[in-house]
Amino acid sequence: TYKDSIVLTTASSWMQVRRNLWGEIRRQASVGKLYKGKKTMLTETMIKVSDKHFMVGISPMIPENAMGFHAPHILVAVDEATGVDREIMTALTGNLTGSNAQIVMICNPIDKDCYAYEAEQSGEWRVIHISAFDHPNVDKGKEIIPGAVTREWIVDRLRAWPFEVKKNVVEAGHTIYVKW
């Protein structure tokens, strides 16, 4: 929304960046008619309004590709953050030099040996937990958002996991008591 702003995006693999993350970004931009009527360049992993107003997908393989971005407003979005190497995270955070710079890491807490876990444990980050138990498909017991998590998948995972989970889950009128 800012004239001089850059959004950097990455994920755990180039396939994740290009197909999953940017597939969704392109879809949402199209559905929302975000750039309709504006002079904009749209590629597979970039939306460019001007040289200082763009959004780009960064390869998670080469730290140097994630360095040297500067603008009055910068947002870094890291999807599947537990799978992104520390070197890439260090390169990305090196761009956050201005007062209007933010980073968002999105992940499932599956790995304690990663930058995202250490950031969460440091107490220096604002952590927002979004539980699959609260997803509309799980809550309503029907597929409201096609392709997203379902109640059936949750129940199947709960049976398969080797640990207990704390959270009440309602399955077809039955309450399953689990520990998280």
Short mmCIF file of all heavy atoms in Angstrom, two decimals, residues 7-31:
data_model
loop_
_atom_site.label_atom_id
_atom_site.label_comp_id
_atom_site.label_asym_id
_atom_site.label_seq_id
_atom_site.Cartn_x
_atom_site.Cartn_y
_atom_site.Cartn_z
N VAL A 7 8.20 -6.14 -0.78
CA VAL A 7 7.82 -7.34 -0.06
C VAL A 7 8.68 -8.47 -0.60
O VAL A 7 8.70 -8.73 -1.80
CB VAL A 7 6.32 -7.69 -0.25
CG1 VAL A 7 5.98 -8.98 0.48
CG2 VAL A 7 5.44 -6.54 0.23
N LEU A 8 9.42 -9.11 0.29
CA LEU A 8 10.25 -10.26 -0.06
C LEU A 8 9.58 -11.51 0.49
O LEU A 8 9.15 -11.52 1.64
CB LEU A 8 11.65 -10.13 0.56
CG LEU A 8 12.39 -8.83 0.27
CD1 LEU A 8 13.69 -8.78 1.06
CD2 LEU A 8 12.66 -8.68 -1.22
N THR A 9 9.49 -12.53 -0.33
CA THR A 9 8.86 -13.77 0.11
C THR A 9 9.80 -14.94 -0.16
O THR A 9 10.55 -14.93 -1.14
CB THR A 9 7.54 -14.04 -0.63
OG1 THR A 9 7.81 -14.26 -2.01
CG2 THR A 9 6.57 -12.88 -0.47
N THR A 10 9.76 -15.93 0.72
CA THR A 10 10.48 -17.17 0.47
C THR A 10 9.78 -18.29 1.19
O THR A 10 8.81 -18.07 1.92
CB THR A 10 11.98 -17.07 0.87
OG1 THR A 10 12.69 -18.13 0.24
CG2 THR A 10 12.17 -17.11 2.37
N ALA A 11 10.27 -19.49 0.99
CA ALA A 11 9.71 -20.68 1.63
C ALA A 11 10.85 -21.71 1.73
O ALA A 11 12.00 -21.39 1.45
CB ALA A 11 8.53 -21.22 0.84
N SER A 12 10.51 -22.92 2.10
CA SER A 12 11.53 -23.93 2.35
C SER A 12 12.20 -24.49 1.10
O SER A 12 13.27 -25.08 1.18
CB SER A 12 10.93 -25.07 3.17
OG SER A 12 9.82 -25.61 2.49
N SER A 13 11.60 -24.32 -0.06
CA SER A 13 12.19 -24.77 -1.32
C SER A 13 11.70 -23.85 -2.44
O SER A 13 10.70 -23.15 -2.29
CB SER A 13 11.80 -26.22 -1.62
OG SER A 13 10.43 -26.28 -1.98
N TRP A 14 12.42 -23.87 -3.55
CA TRP A 14 11.99 -23.05 -4.69
C TRP A 14 10.63 -23.51 -5.19
O TRP A 14 9.80 -22.70 -5.59
CB TRP A 14 13.04 -23.08 -5.80
CG TRP A 14 12.64 -22.22 -6.95
CD1 TRP A 14 12.40 -22.61 -8.23
CD2 TRP A 14 12.39 -20.80 -6.93
NE1 TRP A 14 12.03 -21.53 -9.01
CE2 TRP A 14 12.02 -20.41 -8.24
CE3 TRP A 14 12.44 -19.83 -5.94
CZ2 TRP A 14 11.70 -19.10 -8.57
CZ3 TRP A 14 12.13 -18.52 -6.27
CH2 TRP A 14 11.77 -18.17 -7.57
N MET A 15 10.36 -24.82 -5.15
CA MET A 15 9.05 -25.33 -5.55
C MET A 15 7.96 -24.74 -4.67
O MET A 15 6.91 -24.34 -5.17
CB MET A 15 9.04 -26.86 -5.45
CG MET A 15 7.70 -27.47 -5.83
SD MET A 15 7.35 -27.45 -7.58
CE MET A 15 8.35 -28.79 -8.12
N GLN A 16 8.21 -24.66 -3.37
CA GLN A 16 7.24 -24.06 -2.44
C GLN A 16 7.02 -22.59 -2.77
O GLN A 16 5.89 -22.11 -2.74
CB GLN A 16 7.71 -24.20 -1.00
CG GLN A 16 7.63 -25.59 -0.44
CD GLN A 16 6.23 -25.96 -0.05
OE1 GLN A 16 5.45 -26.38 -0.90
NE2 GLN A 16 5.89 -25.83 1.19
N VAL A 17 8.10 -21.87 -3.05
CA VAL A 17 7.99 -20.44 -3.38
C VAL A 17 7.17 -20.27 -4.66
O VAL A 17 6.18 -19.54 -4.68
CB VAL A 17 9.39 -19.79 -3.57
CG1 VAL A 17 9.25 -18.35 -4.09
CG2 VAL A 17 10.18 -19.81 -2.28
N ARG A 18 7.59 -20.95 -5.70
CA ARG A 18 7.02 -20.75 -7.03
C ARG A 18 5.59 -21.27 -7.16
O ARG A 18 4.73 -20.57 -7.67
CB ARG A 18 7.93 -21.42 -8.07
CG ARG A 18 7.62 -21.06 -9.49
CD ARG A 18 8.69 -21.57 -10.45
NE ARG A 18 8.96 -22.99 -10.32
CZ ARG A 18 8.25 -23.95 -10.90
NH1 ARG A 18 7.22 -23.65 -11.65
NH2 ARG A 18 8.57 -25.21 -10.74
N ARG A 19 5.35 -22.47 -6.71
CA ARG A 19 4.04 -23.08 -6.94
C ARG A 19 3.05 -22.80 -5.82
O ARG A 19 1.94 -22.36 -6.07
CB ARG A 19 4.19 -24.58 -7.16
CG ARG A 19 4.96 -24.86 -8.44
CD ARG A 19 4.99 -26.31 -8.80
NE ARG A 19 3.70 -26.95 -8.85
CZ ARG A 19 3.02 -27.18 -9.95
NH1 ARG A 19 3.48 -26.77 -11.10
NH2 ARG A 19 1.87 -27.82 -9.91
N ASN A 20 3.43 -23.08 -4.58
CA ASN A 20 2.48 -22.94 -3.48
C ASN A 20 2.27 -21.49 -3.07
O ASN A 20 1.16 -20.98 -3.14
CB ASN A 20 2.92 -23.78 -2.28
CG ASN A 20 2.89 -25.26 -2.55
OD1 ASN A 20 2.60 -25.69 -3.66
ND2 ASN A 20 3.21 -26.05 -1.56
N LEU A 21 3.34 -20.84 -2.61
CA LEU A 21 3.21 -19.47 -2.10
C LEU A 21 2.78 -18.51 -3.20
O LEU A 21 1.78 -17.80 -3.07
CB LEU A 21 4.53 -19.04 -1.47
CG LEU A 21 4.58 -17.64 -0.88
CD1 LEU A 21 3.52 -17.47 0.21
CD2 LEU A 21 5.97 -17.36 -0.31
N TRP A 22 3.51 -18.49 -4.32
CA TRP A 22 3.18 -17.55 -5.38
C TRP A 22 1.96 -17.97 -6.18
O TRP A 22 1.26 -17.13 -6.74
CB TRP A 22 4.40 -17.28 -6.26
CG TRP A 22 5.15 -16.14 -5.66
CD1 TRP A 22 6.08 -16.19 -4.66
CD2 TRP A 22 4.95 -14.76 -5.94
NE1 TRP A 22 6.48 -14.93 -4.32
CE2 TRP A 22 5.81 -14.03 -5.10
CE3 TRP A 22 4.13 -14.08 -6.82
CZ2 TRP A 22 5.86 -12.64 -5.12
CZ3 TRP A 22 4.19 -12.69 -6.85
CH2 TRP A 22 5.05 -12.00 -6.01
N GLY A 23 1.64 -19.23 -6.20
CA GLY A 23 0.38 -19.66 -6.79
C GLY A 23 -0.78 -19.03 -6.05
O GLY A 23 -1.74 -18.52 -6.66
N GLU A 24 -0.70 -19.02 -4.72
CA GLU A 24 -1.75 -18.42 -3.91
C GLU A 24 -1.73 -16.89 -4.02
O GLU A 24 -2.78 -16.25 -4.09
CB GLU A 24 -1.61 -18.85 -2.45
CG GLU A 24 -2.73 -18.41 -1.57
CD GLU A 24 -4.10 -19.00 -1.93
OE1 GLU A 24 -4.17 -20.05 -2.60
OE2 GLU A 24 -5.12 -18.38 -1.55
N ILE A 25 -0.56 -16.30 -4.05
CA ILE A 25 -0.46 -14.84 -4.19
C ILE A 25 -1.10 -14.39 -5.51
O ILE A 25 -1.89 -13.45 -5.55
CB ILE A 25 1.00 -14.36 -4.10
CG1 ILE A 25 1.51 -14.51 -2.65
CG2 ILE A 25 1.15 -12.90 -4.59
CD1 ILE A 25 3.01 -14.34 -2.49
N ARG A 26 -0.75 -15.07 -6.61
CA ARG A 26 -1.34 -14.72 -7.91
C ARG A 26 -2.85 -14.91 -7.90
O ARG A 26 -3.60 -14.09 -8.42
CB ARG A 26 -0.70 -15.55 -9.03
CG ARG A 26 0.72 -15.16 -9.37
CD ARG A 26 1.24 -15.86 -10.63
NE ARG A 26 1.05 -17.31 -10.61
CZ ARG A 26 1.92 -18.18 -10.08
NH1 ARG A 26 3.04 -17.74 -9.53
NH2 ARG A 26 1.68 -19.47 -10.12
N ARG A 27 -3.30 -16.00 -7.30
CA ARG A 27 -4.75 -16.27 -7.24
C ARG A 27 -5.47 -15.19 -6.45
O ARG A 27 -6.49 -14.66 -6.89
CB ARG A 27 -5.00 -17.64 -6.60
CG ARG A 27 -6.45 -18.08 -6.67
CD ARG A 27 -6.67 -19.43 -6.03
NE ARG A 27 -6.71 -19.36 -4.59
CZ ARG A 27 -7.72 -18.90 -3.86
NH1 ARG A 27 -8.80 -18.44 -4.45
NH2 ARG A 27 -7.67 -18.87 -2.56
N GLN A 28 -4.94 -14.83 -5.29
CA GLN A 28 -5.58 -13.80 -4.46
C GLN A 28 -5.55 -12.44 -5.15
O GLN A 28 -6.52 -11.68 -5.07
CB GLN A 28 -4.90 -13.73 -3.09
CG GLN A 28 -5.12 -14.94 -2.22
CD GLN A 28 -6.55 -15.08 -1.76
OE1 GLN A 28 -7.30 -14.12 -1.67
NE2 GLN A 28 -6.95 -16.30 -1.48
N ALA A 29 -4.45 -12.11 -5.81
CA ALA A 29 -4.37 -10.83 -6.53
C ALA A 29 -5.40 -10.78 -7.64
O ALA A 29 -6.04 -9.75 -7.87
CB ALA A 29 -2.96 -10.63 -7.09
N SER A 30 -5.61 -11.90 -8.31
CA SER A 30 -6.61 -11.97 -9.38
C SER A 30 -8.03 -11.88 -8.84
O SER A 30 -8.84 -11.09 -9.33
CB SER A 30 -6.43 -13.27 -10.17
OG SER A 30 -7.43 -13.42 -11.13
N VAL A 31 -8.33 -12.69 -7.84
CA VAL A 31 -9.67 -12.70 -7.25
C VAL A 31 -10.02 -11.33 -6.68
O VAL A 31 -11.13 -10.84 -6.85
CB VAL A 31 -9.78 -13.79 -6.15
CG1 VAL A 31 -11.04 -13.62 -5.31
CG2 VAL A 31 -9.74 -15.17 -6.77
#
